[in-house]
Amino acid sequence: MKYHIKSTTLAARGQARMEWAEREMPVLRLIRQRFQKTKPLKDIRIACCLHVTTETGNLMLALRAGGARITLCASNPLSTQDDVAAALVVRHKIPVFAIKGEDSKTYYRHIHSALDSKPQMTMDDGADVVSLLHKEHPAEAARLIGGTEETTTGVVRLRAMEKDGVLKYPIIAVNDALTKHLFDNRYGTGQSTLDGILRCTNVLFSGKVLVVAGYGWCGRGLASRGRGLGARVVVTEIDPLRALEAVMDGFEVLPMAQAARVGDIFVTVTGDVNVIDAAHFRLFKDGAILANSGHFNSEINIPALHKVAVRHRIVRDFVEEFTMPGGRKIYLLGEGRLINLAAAEGHPASVMDMSFANQAVSAEYMALHGKSLQPKVYPVPEILDKEVARLKLKAMGISIDKLTPEQEKYLTSWQEGT
Ligand code: ADE
């Protein structure tokens, strides 16, 4: 079996941490147990390009239980947990190509290694596998059964491919399931982003001005959790509706050019490029901290930061100090890569439970129906989304009410008024 990981000696630690995460993933556990019996993915080769974490490790075991032949590579050069990669290789004989801190060339070599497995399905987080497959092997891409995509950025890229008429096989936008983005993007990113910043800086949030760029589900979660830690939160937006929502949620809304002058900690979660740009570096206070929690490291113009700085040094793990002309210091966290996975462990298992339950049932759906679908981006079927919510509530020991026949009738009639 071919693989490329940091060290096989880390396997015991990775296995123990995967078991710790598994305790918080009851929905995925139920799916794994069902897959074990029904084998819905029997002998299907799946190239998975995901953040290699304890939670992903458990997803791999569920797919494997379903009969899949998996190859796993990293979906970001800085997000791999090397001990999990080792556990998957040594204990579970799953080929993994991922090393934390790999350079860009190695990152793409690892994606190529996953594609070398001649996948029949893909499972992506950010659409790098899909994009590479379409660019380099378009004829092969047309033969795939289907795929799934985990994240907002990946779904945006896939929709662009669909619009340009180049997408060659059907892909389910797992991100768009309600049981995914309402929880993972909001509560997961909200908590894990702060976790990443706290672990690498140990700054006190209380009393600080936290600037959140982007008020999508990730931004909403981050702003609310930042407020919970006592920060004064400023939101920047380009969308009037979202900006209005941020205002009505009680946050100050400013253009970045004004926020830059008042913020202590800045986090980008927009999915777009150069949200913090060269012009803003002149405006930051001495000691401003910059982090990104969006998928790509292009939300902060890092090349421009290097260009303008007169001095650059690393002051702590994942903290780079840039000295500006005149002596002000700006701090960049985690090389501008997603800070929750670079400096912490990503979203907690309990929330990834729902995201990865959606991944597993979507893979099962694709295995069954992919061949009869057009090469388009599809939602997770509502019935599966609702089932994930139902199972999660059950696992949490929470019961809910049922409509009475009278209420059901009322909801489907139009005659009754006041
Ligand atoms: N994305 C965000 N957090 C994650 C995690 N813990 N595992 C895999 N992907 C993630």
Side-chain angles (χ1 to χ4, degrees):
M1 182 181 94
K2 284 193 191 158
Y3 59 86
H4 190 213
I5 60 172
K6 184 164 182 208
S7 168
T8 51
T9 61
L10 304 169
R13 183 187 137 99
Q15 177 65 26
R17 290 199 322 110
M18 272 171 57
E19 287 170 21
W20 171 256
E22 200 273 343
R23 295 182 60 84
E24 292 265 28
M25 304 184 85
V27 181
L28 189 63
R29 183 184 314 137
L30 283 174
I31 292 169
R32 189 188 73 225
Q33 288 163 352
R34 179 169 64 75
F35 276 15
Q36 190 79 51
K37 292 191 199 120
T38 57
K39 302 284 178 203
L41 304 171
K42 189 161 170 28
D43 290 333
I44 297 180
R45 293 184 302 278
I46 309 182
C48 300
C49 181
L50 300 166
H51 301 297
V52 181
T53 64
T54 53
E55 294 76 23
T56 299
N58 281 297
L59 173 61
M60 294 303 100
L61 300 191
L63 300 179
R64 156 71 72 81
R69 299 190 193 178
I70 315 150
T71 307
L72 174 64
C73 65
S75 60
N76 186 284
L78 256 194
S79 62
T80 297
Q81 297 172 6
D82 290 313
D83 57 347
V84 172
L88 290 173
V89 167
V90 175
R91 301 288 179 97
H92 303 286
K93 309 292 174 231
I94 293 175
V96 180
F97 298 85
I99 298 175
K100 187 171 177 102
E102 62 198 15
D103 59 21
S104 178
K105 212 168 124 210
T106 312
Y107 173 74
Y108 282 105
R109 189 154 50 83
H110 285 164
I111 296 182
H112 279 112
S113 299
L115 289 177
D116 286 346
S117 68
K118 301 261 174 282
Q120 294 152 294
M121 286 184 23
T122 56
M123 185 173 282
D124 231 333
D125 186 329
D128 275 348
V129 159
V130 176
S131 160
L132 212 71
L133 183 61
H134 279 73
K135 276 190 219 146
E136 296 186 4
H137 310 281
E140 275 178 40
R143 287 199 286 272
L144 263 75
I145 301 170
T148 61
E149 168 54 52
E150 170 77 4
T151 201
T152 317
T153 295
V155 172
V156 169
R157 291 177 88 186
L158 293 174
R159 291 232 159 85
M161 289 175 79
E162 181 187 319
K163 188 163 162 271
D164 284 354
V166 296
L167 187 64
K168 294 218 177 321
Y169 61 93
I171 301 192
I172 293 186
V174 168
N175 180 72
D176 294 358
L178 296 176
T179 47
K180 199 280 184 180
H181 67 266
L182 290 182
F183 302 90
D184 170 311
N185 302 29
R186 178 166 42 174
Y187 305 119
T189 307
Q191 176 169 318
S192 63
T193 300
L194 296 177
D195 185 15
I197 297 171
L198 290 171
R199 285 199 208 190
C200 69
T201 63
N202 198 28
V203 292
L204 184 73
F205 264 71
S206 199
K208 294 273 195 314
V209 175
L210 169 66
V211 177
V212 176
Y215 205 64
W217 288 109
C218 295
R220 289 173 174 113
L222 180 56
S224 110
R225 268 48 191 159
R227 176 155 65 188
L229 276 184
R232 287 180 288 142
V233 179
V234 173
V235 170
T236 71
E237 247 304 335
I238 47 90
D239 180 86
L241 205 80
R242 287 183 173 179
L244 192 58
E245 195 181 348
V247 172
M248 299 251 178
D249 284 343
F251 300 112
E252 187 173 2
V253 173
L254 291 174
M256 183 57 87
Q258 285 178 37
R261 294 180 189 277
V262 296
D264 298 302
I265 303 167
F266 295 77
V267 188
T268 51
V269 269
T270 68
D272 212 335
V273 294
N274 297 339
V275 175
I276 295 182
D277 210 347
H280 302 124
F281 300 141
R282 271 183 271 119
L283 309 173
F284 288 134
K285 295 196 289 193
D286 180 35
I289 291 173
L290 313 183
N292 166 54
S293 212
H295 188 78
F296 287 119
N297 60 337
S298 47
E299 302 208 16
I300 302 169
N301 190 343
I302 300 170
L305 188 54
H306 276 282
K307 211 161 151 202
V308 73
V310 294
R311 190 160 172 251
H312 169 248
R313 63 176 182 141
I314 292 167
V315 287
R316 291 166 62 100
D317 287 350
F318 305 112
V319 184
E320 291 169 82
E321 180 185 80
F322 292 82
T323 306
M324 298 291 105
R328 273 177 312 118
K329 312 259 201 261
I330 294 175
Y331 295 95
L332 176 69
L333 307 187
E335 300 171 20
R337 298 195 186 276
L338 348 92
I339 193 61
N340 58 341
L341 283 143
E345 295 170 63
H347 305 347
S350 173
V351 85
M352 292 312 294
D353 187 28
M354 289 190 279
S355 308
F356 285 169
N358 275 295
Q359 282 284 9
V361 294
S362 295
E364 178 183 32
Y365 183 89
M366 264 307 170
L368 261 179
H369 303 288
K371 280 279 169 230
S372 58
L373 295 174
Q374 296 298 310
K376 290 186 173 160
V377 180
Y378 290 87
V380 174
E382 192 185 338
I383 190 168
L384 300 181
D385 199 355
K386 279 256 164 70
E387 178 66 2
V388 171
R390 200 182 62 74
L391 292 174
K392 188 68 175 176
L393 277 174
K394 192 165 172 227
M396 294 167 92
I398 296 168
S399 324
I400 57 172
D401 289 324
K402 256 197 165 128
L403 290 175
T404 63
E406 179 195 28
Q407 288 169 330
E408 242 176 82
K409 184 163 171 263
Y410 179 83
L411 289 178
T412 51
S413 73
W414 53 270
Q415 281 105 334
E416 285 184 56
T418 43

